[in-house]
Structures are given as C-alpha cells and as structure tokens.
Amino acid sequence: MQQTGQLVATQLPDGGLSSKQITSMLAARRGTIFTTLAITVALTVVITVLLPKTYTATSDVFLDYKNNDPIAGRLFSPILDESYMQTQLDMIKSQPVAEKVLDAVGLERTAEYQEAVKRYGEARAHAQMIRRINDQTQVITRRSSRVIEVDYEAGSPDEARDVANAIVRAYMELNQEISTVSARSRREQYNAQLEELRREADEIQEKLTQYQQKVGIIDTAERTDVETRQLGELITTLVAVQNQRQEATARKNATDTMVRNGTPPDQLPVVAQRINISDLKSRLSDANRRLGEIDAVLGPRNPKTIALVQEVEGLKERINRESVSAVDADRIDELRLSSQEQSLNHQIDILRVKMLEQKEHRDTILSYQRQLDSVQRVYDSAVAKYDDILMASNIHTFDLTVLREAEAPATHTKPLMSHNVAASIVIGLVLGLAIALVAELGRRRVRCEDDLARNLPLPLIGHIGIR
C-alpha cells in the first residue's frame, strides 16, 4: 500500500476516452474478449468441418504461337498480337467447349441434372449446366509464358479430374476444327479464284485470237517495220518528184514569158536543148550553105536549086513542128509531174491512215497481250502456292501440347481449415473487443484515475493500491 498526501493537479483534456481508460476497460473485460474469441474459432472449426469439400484438378497446356500462312506466304507470330492469348482463354471457357464436355463426361446423365430437368425444363437445365462448367473453370496465365493452367473445381476428386481433362481435350478439338475449317475454306476460295483466273485467261486469249484474225495482224513488230519502210520510200520519191515538178514549172513559166515576148519557138531554151532539133538546125544550116553555092552558080530555076529550096523549107517546117512539140512536151511533163505528185501524196495519206489504223489495232492487240500476261502471271503464282494450300487443308500441325494431364487431387482445396481459423482469430478478436467496449460504455465504472479526473471537477490527492 502506498499513500501520499501530496496534492496533484492534473490537467486532462475534456471529452473522449484516453488510451489508459481504454486499456483499463479491455483489461477488465478480458474474459469476455477471450470467450468471444474461443466461441468464434470453435464455430469456424465446426462450420469448416461441416461444409462440403471442393477438389481442384489442374492441367497445363503449352501454346505454340507459330502459324504458317500459305496464302500470304509469310510466317505469322501471334505473340505480337495481344488478342491471341485472350482469344485462347475465351475459347477454353466458351459454350462449344462446355457442350463437348457435357457429351464427353456424361454430366447430362447425372441425378442432379435429371432433377434440374424435371424442375426447370431441359433448356434451362442445360444452360445452367453450361454456366456451372464455365463458372467452375479457371484459366491461369503467367506473364511472358506460353503455358496456361486449366483448373476445374468439383465436389469429388474424380469429377474434377475427368472434367478438367475433358475441357482440355474439347478445347484442342475445337482449335483443330477451327483450323481445319479455315484451311478448307481457303482451299475452296483458292479453287474458285484459280477457276476464275483460268476463265479470264481463256476469254482474253479468245478475244486476242479473234481480233488478230479480224485485222490480219500476227507479228506486230514485223508489220510496223515494213510499213515504216514503205512510207519512207514514198516520201523520198515525193520529194524527188516535187523537185522535178518545180523545175518543170519554172521552165514552163520562162517559156511562156519568152513566147509572149515574140521569141520564135526554135529559139526557146527548152527547144535548144533537144538533140533532134539541134541536128535539124545543123542540117538546115548545111542546106542553106549548099543552096547559096548552087544558087550563085546554077541560078534559082535549076532543078538542084529548087530541090535544095524544098529541102530547106522542109527542114524549117520540121524544126518548127519539133519546136512546138518540144514546148508542148515540156508543158505535158509539168502536168505529168504534178499528177505524179498528187498520186504520191494520196498514196502517202492512205498509207498514213492505214498505219494509224494498224497502230490502233496493234495497241489493242498489245493491250490484250498485257492483260493475258498479267492474268497468266497471277495464275502461275497462284498455282505455285496451291500445293501449300492443299497441304495446309489436309495436314494440320497442332499448336497445342498437353504438358500435364489433370490427376485426381489427394486433398480438397476448399474449405481450408488453416485459412479459416486464421480469419476467425482476427474476427473473434475484433468482435470481442467490440463487445467489451460496448459493455463498458453501456455501464461505466471507475477503472483508473482518468475516470475520476475526467468526470469529477476535483483535484486528485493520491493513489491507494497497486498501480
């Protein structure tokens, strides 16, 4: 016992509870707290023992992301596609997989399913069973890993094992069916495309042949060379004829001018160039010379003189006639050259029109040939890949491998006694503390000096008892 007469003035805050008060309350009610804790733990143990056991079977599946695409001709890596893994997970928990599991395991023959059919009808019972399978299936992935873990929870180890393995098999079968359908669909589409390409190539070839027969062109290059050479020869001839016609026109104009000026026909330059007229003039000059000699000796009435006079007159008449003929011939030559020039121009125009038509025909033929070559190249490329398409549609390499099949679990996974007891301890302590505080606050007692100091406006004189 300790006693003090010393006056102690203690200043305490108004309102609320101090930590010392709370500690004193809890210490006084420790029996209640421990009792509540014990009851909570005991109830948890009993409930855990009575709850139905849940068993979890696990199977590991390896996903190989390689997938050869024979149509695109490239190697596609779905690891670059974030949606690929999620798609696989959704497939595992899809309705087609659950349907296959129902058929494989025979869950529709269970008493539970038959009871649900009687109560809700077959359609609703079937939907509930599908939903139950998906709800009890868990798919776990690991970061940067190609292995996925498929878990299934059931009320018995055998059911958990059978359903887990059935889910994996159904998933692999669905994956194979999708791959097979896709490959066969590509093959059918490819067959249709090849048939379309063949038909298009045959149509173009037929049009090309008919058009060549219609226009009479087989070798476009050879016909172009021949026609170009012909056109060149005609143009060269035309230039020569034009030059000759211009010269003839100039001569004709000069001759007409001299004739209008009174120049005798035999003095014209075009006439003087004629050899026969030159010979006639030489003969006339010789006849005049002989006529002068004979006329001076024999006189104008001599038969020789008369004969020479007649010869001179005949030569003059002949020279005049030949001169007129020469002038006319020169004029006719100008007309002939003009006609020849017109004829050459006409031939050149016809040949040019023909060449333009032939060019149009050749362009059409070349267009058909380009179309045919383009279709042929596409067809050859498609045929080269067709073997890959056939192989892909008939030979299927699995991109799924079961690393570990599910086995019957030796122990249940739910409920776990250790986890439940640990949780019950926490809950029991919280509940016991709450009950103790509620009981103390409902009926206050003096547990420590703070209870007096806070509730009485008197100074604390001392302590009695063990502190």
Side-chain angles (χ1 to χ4, degrees), residues 1 25 54 64 71 75 107 128 130 134 138 151 168 171 191 193 212 239 271 273 296 304 361 370 392 417 457-458 465:
M1 303 256 329
M25 291 179 184
T54 300
D64 189 0
I71 291 181
L75 196 64
L107 295 178
Q128 289 180 348
I130 295 294
N134 290 333
Q138 299 296 327
D151 298 339
V168 172
Y171 163 61
N191 282 331
Q193 291 177 358
Q212 286 180 321
V239 172
V271 176
Q273 295 175 358
K304 291 184 178 180
H361 295 327
R370 285 194 298 269
M417 182 65 73
L458 299 174

Side-chain angles (χ1 to χ4, degrees), residues 71 178-192 389 393:
I71 291 181
I178 293 175
S179 176
T180 302
V181 170
S182 177
R184 289 180 179 175
S185 176
R186 289 198 301 269
R187 184 184 65 181
E188 293 174 359
Q189 293 176 1
Y190 226 67
N191 282 331
I389 296 294
S393 62

Side-chain angles (χ1 to χ4, degrees), residues 190-201 203 375:
Y190 226 67
N191 282 331
Q193 291 177 358
L194 286 176
E195 184 63 28
E196 179 66 20
L197 288 173
R198 281 194 294 267
R199 184 186 62 78
E200 186 176 355
E203 289 179 356
V375 173

Side-chain angles (χ1 to χ4, degrees), residues 380-438:
D380 293 341
S381 177
V383 170
K385 294 181 181 179
Y386 188 64
D387 292 339
D388 295 335
I389 296 294
L390 290 178
M391 185 173 295
S393 62
N394 295 311
I395 300 176
H396 310 286
T397 57
F398 259 1
D399 58 355
L400 302 174
T401 304
V402 179
L403 299 180
R404 181 185 61 168
E405 291 189 353
E407 298 178 354
T411 59
H412 61 274
T413 55
K414 294 178 182 179
L416 295 177
M417 182 65 73
S418 58
H419 292 176
N420 293 345
V421 169
S424 67
I425 291 174
V426 176
I427 295 173
L429 286 175
V430 174
L431 185 61
L433 292 174
I435 293 173
L437 289 175
V438 169

Side-chain angles (χ1 to χ4, degrees), residues 3 17 25 41 55 60 70 78 119 128 134 140 161 248 284 332 355 372 383 390 395 400-401 409 448 458:
Q3 193 175 26
L17 295 175
M25 291 179 184
V41 172
Y55 296 87
D60 293 335
R119 181 177 300 178
Q128 289 180 348
N134 290 333
I140 302 174
R161 176 199 59 199
L284 176 62
I332 293 173
M355 289 182 67
L372 181 61
V383 170
L390 290 178
I395 300 176
L400 302 174
T401 304
C448 62
L458 299 174

